[in-house]
Amino acid sequence: MVELHPSTYLRAAAWVPDDDPERPWEDAADLAAEWIWERSKAEGVAPLLVTNTFQNGVGIGCLEAIARRGGQTTPQGKQRFDRGPVLAYVPDERTLKLALDLARGYSLAVVETVSFPLAEWAAGVEAINLLDGSTNTSSIPDDVKADLDHAVSFGGNNGWTGPHEKQHVRTHLGHHVQSGRLAPEQAASYVMSQGISDRGAKRLRLLLEKLA
């Protein structure tokens, strides 16, 4: 029986951090594509490309090859795909959630963009850094993470939609944001590694941004 990650239900995860403004996007995509093709062979299913729009990745040969072989979809896409290994290229919250859903039971490779930082997500899912083969450790202090985990258990399932859930966030996380110990995008990235929806992660980020 294949062992899956307890919250994302992935077999394996990898990412390419957007940590060098001089790195060509093609190079980052090539690293992710090479890894997902290896996982595709092991899992016996062609990989799928997931992007924010169908224009993302146009002109990048390795991404176009995946789209031709396994298909490409976006959050607005109409075509339905079976689950399998996925390469998510520079996703936002919504696109990452789609990629996670489609990769459930399989593997996921992600190319990060600085507009949606993924370091905490990568740490939470034990994703391999394809630049150096390492796995991230969270940079959120333990006491802050404990309060963040409490917020997830208190209001995460409902995506912090109710007034009591929002107040809980303000009470338990607001001072961490104001003191600079927790960035709103860190919180959003982390909670997605814990199975929270894209809408919930985005709502939490916006709540915390108002407290900064």
Side-chain angles (χ1 to χ4, degrees), residues 54-66:
F54 283 107
Q55 286 70 44
N56 287 133
V58 170
I60 298 178
C62 64
L63 300 183
E64 293 179 337
I66 291 174

Side-chain angles (χ1 to χ4, degrees), residues 120 138-148 172-187 190 208 211-212:
E120 292 300 328
S138 175
S139 61
I140 301 175
D142 288 344
D143 61 317
V144 177
K145 187 177 288 186
D147 286 343
L148 187 52
H172 293 273
L173 297 180
H175 60 292
H176 295 314
V177 173
Q178 290 162 1
S179 65
R181 302 181 72 219
L182 177 66
E185 61 270 17
Q186 277 185 311
Y190 174 77
L208 294 177
L211 301 174

Side-chain angles (χ1 to χ4, degrees), residues 15-21 23 25 90 111-115 131:
W15 71 311
V16 182
D18 185 11
D19 60 358
D20 181 357
R23 181 183 301 117
W25 287 108
V90 295
V111 176
E112 180 194 44
T113 171
V114 291
S115 62
L131 296 173

Side-chain angles (χ1 to χ4, degrees), residues 80 113 116 130 168 184 194:
R80 301 298 179 189
T113 171
F116 181 41
L130 294 175
H168 185 274
Q194 304 303 301

